[in-house]
Amino acid sequence: MDSYDVIIIGGGVVGCMTARTLSRYTLRVLLIDQEADIGMGASSANSAIVHAGYDPLPGTLKAKMNVAANPLWDALAGELNFPFERRGDYVVAVGPGELARLDKLLEQGKANGVPGMHTISADEMRHREPNITPDTSGALWAPTGGICDPFAVTIAAAENALQNGVTLKLDTAFTGFIIEGKKITGIHTSHGDFGCRWVVNAAGMYADEVMHQAGVRPEFQITARRGEYAILDRAEITISNVLFPVPSNISKGILVTATLHGNTLVGPNAENLPDKEEHSVSPGGMAELWEGAKRLIPSLQPRHTIAVFAGLRASGNAACATPGVDYGHDFVIEIPREVEGLVNLGGIESPGLTAAPAIALRVVELLKDAGEKLTEKHDFQPIRPARPIFRHLTHDEQASLIRRDSRYGRVVCRCELVTEGEIMAEIHGPIPATTYDAIKRRTWLGTGRCLGGFDMPRVVDILSRELKIPPETVTKKGPGSEFLIRSTKDVEVADAH
Amino acid sequence: MPIKEKYDVVVIGSGPGGLAAAIEAKKNGAEDVLIIERDVEPGGILLQCIHSGFGLEVFGKDMPGPAYAQHFISDALTAGIELLLDTMVIDITPGRRIFACGKHGGLIDIQARALVLSMGCRERTRAQIRLPGTRPAGVYTAGTAQRWVNVEGYMPGRNFVILGSGDIGMIMARRLTLEGAKVEQVLEVMPYLTGLTRNYVQCLMDFGIPLHLSHTVNRIIGNKRVEAIESIQVDERWQPVPGTAQVVPCDTLLLSVGLIPENELSRKAGVKIDPITAGPWVDDGFETNVPGIFAAGNVVHVYDLVDWVTEAGYAAGRSAAQFALREREKERRHIPMIAGLNVRYIVPQAIDKENLKEGDIRLQLRVTQPLEKLVWIEISDGENSITRKRAPYARPGEIITLTIPQRAYDQVAKAGQLRVDVTKR
Amino acid sequence: MYMEEITKLICITCPKGCTLEVQRDGDTVLKVEQGCKRGHEYARRELVDPRRMISSTVKITGGEHPLLPVYTADAFPKPRIPDLMTALRKLGVKAPIRMNQVVLADALGTGINILASRDMPKLSR
């Protein structure tokens, strides 16, 4: 049985960021995920916002982690080479009645320690966002808010962790703890047992099931709360700002935001679901999205949609541990007493993406507090080398890149200008992309106007060639999702009719 | 054949529109004509439209798509039109500068005297019709499936439901059935057939494939791969009629819900797009609002017959050639003024030699260094002097004026360029 | 007295798709209303000997793609189309091929040739 110092269960943004942070130290770290790729849960289906931190209730872990993490993003983006822009965000009041709540948010932000916030007038809001509703009465401006590409963040952190010695095992589902007395000494998985001294529970949607297996927090439950999104064509509408409505009691509301790809993102709504695997987009949900979005930007048209998707929030029911703070959905970040050797993370929903770097640092603190002697590696490499992104280059740089490697000259995804060179780099990358969706997550291929209509046959062909597998076995997202059934002239099957 | 830096006419796309434009441009005096095609062979979408129905008007015969294309491809090659294959145009400017890249040619940067856009259409997607449900493998647009079945040689499913009773959907229904798949039904949201009636007979009726009008897909079912769709009846406002939902087991949903002209490149060049057609605004010569940029074929609007695309291609090609010839004439008439010895700059930087027929042309220049001596200010063609004048000095702070006399026309007309030098006497 | 039937038929000869009204007595066509001369010919044939233009593909080696599009030189008897498809599925040809080259002569003894729909040159690589 292979043994590690730390095993992290869950390769989402929190698990990967934690793996990266732990890889600074001379620890043997294993990161496992039950899916075929990292980041396939909430980490790749969210608003991509790095929150300023005025929204969580003061005193909650959500607030603390959000505000602690926010300033870390610039350095991280530089080291890990992922796209991030600190654009600032607006909470837009519609109608005079909402102005009072803006002031309350401002106070809340200050209490949380969010720098630079102030309110602006309706005129100023109209000036900053010409498409904003004429009924706006003013807004709250938070300059420290930002936008990122959340999957890019997750995979960059994972790749850097691998660079620094972390082992990654995908398709590996946690099935149980190995506990001797009160001490965790290992885990059972679908691919065998592994020994360890510490387990970090970063299992997202399934964090409750993991902790229950150690007898921890039996009353803690994670509910899948679906959020649906629509992406609008950048040729039809240009929004350069991040716009929130005044939040309600249950959610931040339906926002309208620029994305780093130049498109506009609308969403999410919020609906609790009984099924943790229900990823579908609902007819009713779309209607809700448009209603909310048009409140802020009346000129938005549903027919400008080029993509829709749904993400599932891992919504927990843990009460905030700070005395006097009445909040029932706080983060769980702790070393529980019921068992030795567990760092327990649960209920990491919004602002989970933002907070991930701070949660990772907190995990290190908790380990130190528990007596772990952490020695820094002298040869830790903080920089994850960037890979060329064809569409971001000038024509001269493109020409130079193609001369170096002619595969960058063959454009496979027309709408997003993704080349064969980039696809090859991901198929043979540190965390290899072996399915269409994995390539899509890494390169944004197939996310443009034609939604893969042009590139799909070409990508299937490339995957078949590079993985040396028949085209009929190339999948969209793992076994069972093959694109093709047989060759057209397959005699036996056809004649069976 | 190596790619030139400048072409009379560059055509983007070698489908029926592009081929016709290129051929007609050549016929109308364009000397070098280049077609840039992103696929490995010319023909465009016709290559995968293996069914008949093409050419009744242009050739008086009904033939399959690839055959229709073949005629024009052969004509184009015979006419000496250059064909750059496996190359994607990634940028065009209003000044008709074109950037394109391919695996074998690297990044090319060429200038077109006239540019014809014929990029055709893309298909409307599930997101654009906001189809709810999961996102499994097995949801394809009809054209993508057609490419697989007819060109690449693969069947993308066993049991199909087709959304959309347009011609592409119906034609694929027949095609798939002939190749051994089962098409369960065709759904059409309108209360009427949107494709040709003849296709309803020979694609659906002939094979016993049911057509349900006023129906659509309510949602897609299946996690990794399509397992079923839920069909639903709709009223005249496209609202679902309660109680009519039916689950139809299938492993593939084909979308045939419309074509949209593909104008990403057009936008980059500042071409004005008509919001109703989704194609460029064009005049009767198929010139867009940007001088020298023309458009032909489905990129302008979705045609019913390919024969009409060919006609439009001819018109655009003719206009493009005429524009290119006028540009050539302008270039021929333009002679650059070169700043020679001790000259910092000359305005104008180029002259139209035909204007010299009407009268003198005045030049103004400044010197780089002061010369407090007698100077010659001379215009030459590099070898022979054309005219010169004396001056007592030359100072950078004082503009020097010089005239090219009308009588110098014959000499100037033969010159490739003119230069001005300021030298000591 | 003979029994007259009126059958409605959609003509597929051209894109107009006229609805033809065919007066017939069993297999004998008496009169066709609506439509043009070609439509009337179609109607007469359709009732006794329905035929269709068929396009498909056959396997090809040595060319750019694994399939070569082909088509029937004339309208093919409808009941025999499944057998035609089977025959085409089993067929294989080699590049180079010229457009309208016969890839299957006298298919299923019908006298109808199956022709290549395009050139497919031999690939040099």
Side-chain angles (χ1 to χ4, degrees):
Chain A
M1 176 172 81
D2 280 344
S3 273
Y4 295 86
D5 294 309
V6 183
I7 297 180
I8 302 170
I9 302 172
V13 66
V14 173
C16 291
M17 205 56 88
T18 303
R20 190 259 178 171
T21 308
L22 287 179
S23 74
R24 287 180 185 278
Y25 305 100
T26 56
L27 295 168
R28 284 197 72 209
V29 180
L30 169 68
L31 173 64
I32 67 169
D33 196 288
Q34 65 179 356
E35 300 287 350
D37 199 4
I38 49 115
M40 283 180 69
S43 300
S44 48
N46 56 68
S47 323
I49 310 271
V50 175
H51 294 286
Y54 47 79
D55 185 73
L57 217 52
T60 57
L61 267 179
K62 281 183 175 179
K64 283 193 204 133
M65 292 288 111
N66 186 155
V67 175
N70 181 294
L72 304 176
W73 276 77
D74 307 89
L76 260 180
E79 289 176 348
L80 298 179
N81 273 302
F82 57 74
F84 166 68
E85 264 181 49
R86 206 173 274 287
R87 274 212 204 168
D89 56 63
Y90 297 90
V91 180
V92 180
V94 178
E98 292 193 339
L99 277 177
R101 287 161 68 199
L102 281 191
D103 289 328
K104 285 200 64 196
L105 264 186
L106 177 57
E107 271 173 46
Q108 191 167 277
K110 288 183 177 159
N112 282 337
V114 178
M117 296 172 63
H118 60 91
T119 52
I120 61 174
S121 69
D123 275 341
E124 180 61 22
M125 186 65 238
R126 278 187 278 266
H127 174 73
R128 301 221 191 155
E129 179 47 70
N131 295 296
I132 202 74
T133 172
D135 298 333
T136 179
S137 49
L140 184 60
W141 161 243
T144 56
I147 52 177
C148 69
D149 175 344
F151 182 81
V153 175
T154 308
I155 195 169
E159 287 186 4
N160 190 233
L162 263 56
Q163 254 179 287
N164 287 295
V166 171
T167 306
L168 171 67
K169 288 190 190 300
L170 297 170
D171 281 316
T172 303
F174 164 85
T175 52
F177 287 105
I178 303 172
I179 302 183
E180 283 159 29
K182 266 191 69 178
K183 202 168 160 16
I184 292 174
T185 58
I187 60 169
H188 300 296
T189 76
S190 56
H191 273 102
D193 297 344
F194 300 97
C196 63
R197 298 186 297 104
W198 286 98
V199 171
V200 178
N201 176 13
M205 190 60 69
Y206 301 95
D208 54 352
E209 297 173 35
V210 170
M211 68 179 80
H212 293 168
Q213 293 234 29
V216 172
R217 291 188 181 248
E219 75 297 338
F220 179 73
Q221 293 295 329
I222 296 209
T223 309
R225 229 161 98 247
R226 175 177 62 196
E228 294 165 306
Y229 296 88
I231 298 188
L232 305 180
D233 195 341
R234 60 180 168 253
E236 301 291 346
I237 185 153
T238 309
I239 301 277
S240 349
N241 292 306
V242 181
L243 307 162
F244 289 86
V246 170
S248 72
N249 290 333
I250 29 164
S251 86
K252 289 190 178 64
I254 291 169
L255 44 129
V256 178
T257 172
T259 70
L260 285 176
H261 296 269
N263 292 317
T264 301
L265 178 68
V266 169
N269 53 4
E271 189 189 338
N272 286 349
L273 297 179
D275 181 359
K276 284 182 174 179
E277 289 293 324
E278 179 54 74
H279 276 100
S280 62
V281 165
S282 67
M286 289 287 109
E288 229 186 306
L289 278 190
W290 298 117
E291 211 190 293
K294 275 166 154 322
R295 246 186 116 243
L296 293 181
I297 308 281
S299 53
L300 283 181
Q301 296 294 331
R303 65 185 161 78
H304 296 152
T305 308
I306 53 171
V308 294
F309 64 97
L312 296 177
R313 307 168 181 84
S315 190
N317 62 348
C320 173
T322 309
V325 178
D326 179 21
Y327 182 66
H329 299 281
D330 205 0
F331 287 165
V332 169
I333 305 176
E334 65 183 10
I335 291 183
R337 281 166 308 171
E338 286 84 346
V339 76
E340 269 179 61
L342 176 65
V343 179
N344 196 25
L345 310 174
I348 313 295
E349 53 175 346
S350 183
L353 169 66
T354 309
I359 297 176
L361 289 173
R362 183 85 187 108
V363 169
V364 171
E365 265 176 36
L366 287 172
L367 288 173
K368 283 184 179 161
D369 288 347
E372 268 298 312
K373 290 276 175 294
L374 297 178
T375 315
E376 291 202 21
K377 278 182 181 137
H378 64 271
D379 59 347
F380 175 71
Q381 299 166 54
I383 310 285
R384 178 199 84 121
R387 294 198 274 281
I389 298 176
F390 188 82
R391 64 179 171 280
H392 289 169
L393 305 177
T394 63
H395 290 312
D396 282 336
E397 290 166 340
Q398 287 169 341
S400 180
L401 180 61
I402 297 172
R403 276 193 296 270
R404 244 178 46 218
D405 182 343
S406 67
R407 293 169 304 188
Y408 285 95
R410 184 171 169 235
V411 174
V412 174
C413 168
R414 205 246 85 75
C415 303
E416 299 299 313
L417 228 47
V418 179
T419 65
E420 184 173 339
E422 292 156 271
I423 297 171
M424 299 286 281
E426 298 307 327
I427 293 176
H428 301 289
I431 303 174
T434 57
T435 66
Y436 180 88
D437 279 1
I439 298 176
K440 184 177 178 176
R441 277 190 289 276
R442 287 154 175 71
T443 64
W444 279 75
L445 149 161
T447 59
R449 269 171 222 111
C450 80
L451 225 55
F454 176 70
D455 64 65
M456 221 181 276
R458 288 155 180 84
V459 176
V460 168
D461 187 51
I462 294 172
L463 275 170
S464 161
R465 186 190 72 205
E466 291 303 309
L467 302 178
K468 299 193 188 6
I469 60 176
E472 299 93 316
T473 60
V474 172
T475 69
K476 183 175 193 283
K477 44 177 158 173
S481 68
E482 288 78 9
F483 285 97
L484 307 171
I485 301 300
R486 59 175 171 86
S487 70
T488 311
K489 300 297 174 184
D490 188 326
V491 181
E492 285 79 343
V493 180
D495 282 342
H497 260 276
Chain B
M1 172 176 274
I3 295 297
K4 304 189 185 59
E5 280 180 11
K6 196 166 198 172
Y7 283 85
D8 278 342
V9 177
V10 174
V11 178
I12 304 179
S14 71
L19 287 168
I23 289 168
E24 192 70 4
K26 231 1 167 118
K27 272 211 197 112
N28 279 267
E31 281 175 37
D32 8 82
V33 178
L34 172 71
I35 304 179
I36 306 180
E37 166 58 53
R38 70 183 178 182
D39 208 337
V40 297
E41 48 181 358
I45 204 71
L46 287 174
L47 292 180
Q48 62 186 63
C49 299
I50 67 167
H51 48 279
S52 302
F54 304 89
L56 255 177
E57 290 198 8
V58 168
F59 296 110
K61 259 174 28 147
D62 186 339
M63 63 185 74
Y68 188 91
Q70 189 71 70
H71 283 111
F72 294 94
I73 294 166
S74 306
D75 286 352
L77 293 175
T78 311
I81 292 167
E82 287 176 51
L83 200 45
L84 185 58
L85 299 170
D86 207 5
T87 302
M88 179 81 75
V89 175
I90 60 175
D91 199 1
I92 52 181
T93 69
R96 301 183 303 277
R97 192 170 168 200
I98 299 153
F99 296 91
C101 60
K103 215 156 150 177
H104 307 293
L107 186 84
I108 63 166
D109 174 358
I110 61 179
Q111 181 66 42
R113 293 192 175 92
L115 176 61
V116 181
L117 307 170
S118 346
M119 295 84 70
C121 280
R122 62 176 185 274
E123 298 176 273
R124 188 166 276 119
T125 65
R126 73 167 284 184
Q128 288 167 299
I129 57 170
R130 295 179 293 290
L131 198 56
T134 51
R135 298 183 302 153
V139 181
Y140 308 121
T141 52
T144 305
Q146 191 182 50
R147 168 111 191 163
W148 263 321
V149 173
N150 294 342
V151 176
E152 315 235 345
Y154 295 100
M155 293 293 278
R158 291 183 191 86
N159 297 76
F160 292 74
V161 168
I162 299 180
L163 177 59
S165 69
D167 289 321
I168 305 176
M170 290 199 284
I171 280 165
M172 279 313 288
R174 172 178 62 185
R175 188 81 197 100
L176 291 166
T177 309
L178 285 176
E179 291 294 356
K182 178 97 174 40
V183 178
E184 306 290 344
Q185 50 185 250
V186 175
L187 304 173
E188 169 55 57
V189 73
M190 300 302 255
Y192 50 80
L193 191 76
T194 58
L196 296 173
T197 319
R198 75 192 298 208
N199 284 330
Y200 172 65
V201 172
Q202 54 192 2
C203 298
L204 301 189
M205 271 178 66
D206 273 4
F207 298 95
I209 298 170
L211 168 68
H212 298 298
L213 297 176
S214 296
H215 274 73
T216 188
V217 175
N218 198 36
R219 67 190 169 100
I220 298 173
I221 299 164
N223 182 20
K224 300 262 176 152
R225 175 90 200 193
V226 172
E227 286 160 33
I229 57 101
E230 188 181 78
S231 78
I232 197 150
Q233 199 178 326
V234 294
D235 63 22
E236 59 291 332
R237 277 164 23 247
W238 290 17
Q239 295 308 304
V241 174
T244 61
Q246 280 202 353
V247 171
V248 183
C250 60
D251 69 4
T252 316
L253 172 64
L254 238 51
L255 301 175
S256 172
V257 292
L259 298 176
I260 304 169
E262 179 57 82
N263 279 288
E264 295 227 27
L265 281 178
S266 318
R267 288 193 160 96
K268 285 193 163 185
V271 168
K272 193 168 84 170
I273 305 293
D274 178 339
I276 300 182
T277 58
W281 176 100
V282 290
D283 68 12
D284 58 311
F286 289 95
E287 189 170 23
T288 68
N289 64 307
V290 178
I293 299 187
F294 303 80
N298 274 1
V299 76
V300 176
H301 73 124
V302 182
Y303 283 82
D304 294 346
L305 289 188
V306 76
D307 306 68
W308 301 343
V309 168
T310 297
E311 258 176 51
Y314 286 152
R318 199 173 309 129
S319 306
Q322 286 161 0
F323 188 94
L325 292 179
R326 287 196 295 270
E327 286 295 298
R328 259 198 198 261
E329 178 61 12
K330 258 204 280 188
E331 286 160 32
R332 191 192 64 78
R333 287 164 59 150
H334 262 210
I335 300 185
M337 301 299 307
I338 308 294
L341 294 168
N342 201 22
V343 175
R344 191 165 143 245
Y345 69 76
I346 310 171
V347 172
Q349 291 88 342
I351 64 162
D352 180 339
K353 63 186 166 190
E354 297 309 311
N355 288 340
L356 208 48
K357 275 201 175 135
E358 314 297 317
D360 299 344
I361 294 180
R362 192 158 86 155
L363 305 173
Q364 289 186 320
L365 60 99
R366 287 191 193 273
V367 289
T368 324
Q369 299 292 340
L371 281 173
E372 295 300 333
K373 301 179 160 57
L374 298 166
V375 290
W376 282 118
I377 303 155
E378 180 168 27
I379 304 176
S380 68
D381 64 6
E383 282 176 24
N384 312 304
S385 178
I386 294 187
T387 188
R388 67 180 186 172
K389 83 170 192 186
R390 271 187 285 244
Y393 57 78
R395 292 172 190 152
E398 290 179 28
I399 284 180
I400 297 171
T401 308
L402 193 52
T403 302
I404 310 177
Q406 190 178 2
R407 58 181 155 72
Y409 173 79
D410 288 326
Q411 243 188 315
V412 168
K414 285 190 292 219
Q417 60 186 42
L418 297 178
R419 60 181 282 160
V420 181
D421 299 289
V422 174
T423 49
K424 267 186 340 204
R425 241 178 38 202
Chain C
M1 289 310 275
Y2 48 34
M3 294 292 293
E4 264 186 27
E5 291 171 54
I6 299 201
T7 309
K8 285 212 173 131
L9 219 59
I10 299 175
C11 179
I12 62 169
T13 315
C14 87
K16 276 172 88 173
C18 305
T19 303
L20 310 169
E21 286 173 11
V22 184
Q23 270 179 46
R24 60 192 183 103
D25 170 20
D27 279 348
T28 313
V29 170
L30 304 167
K31 195 170 175 198
V32 184
E33 298 281 2
Q34 316 296 337
C36 68
K37 197 169 73 171
R38 283 164 62 210
H40 292 193
E41 268 173 51
Y42 166 76
R44 275 168 226 281
R45 206 175 205 185
E46 182 68 6
L47 290 174
V48 298
D49 175 24
R51 292 184 173 232
R52 298 285 184 265
M53 294 294 292
I54 288 292
S55 306
S56 186
T57 52
V58 297
K59 287 189 284 214
I60 180 170
T61 50
E64 179 69 54
H65 298 294
L67 296 178
L68 170 76
V70 298
Y71 68 113
T72 53
D74 275 305
F76 203 84
K78 196 167 144 196
R80 303 206 64 197
I81 288 173
D83 288 339
L84 173 65
M85 296 310 299
T86 304
L88 291 179
R89 238 173 261 130
K90 295 191 164 124
L91 196 56
V93 300
K94 274 209 325 235
I97 296 277
R98 300 305 309 274
M99 176 169 72
N100 291 328
Q101 186 175 326
V102 175
V103 299
L104 181 63
D106 187 18
L108 306 184
T110 58
I112 297 170
N113 291 339
I114 312 298
L115 311 177
S117 309
R118 55 166 287 181
D119 291 351
M120 198 168 276
K122 188 156 166 216
L123 268 192
S124 45
R125 49 185 153 93

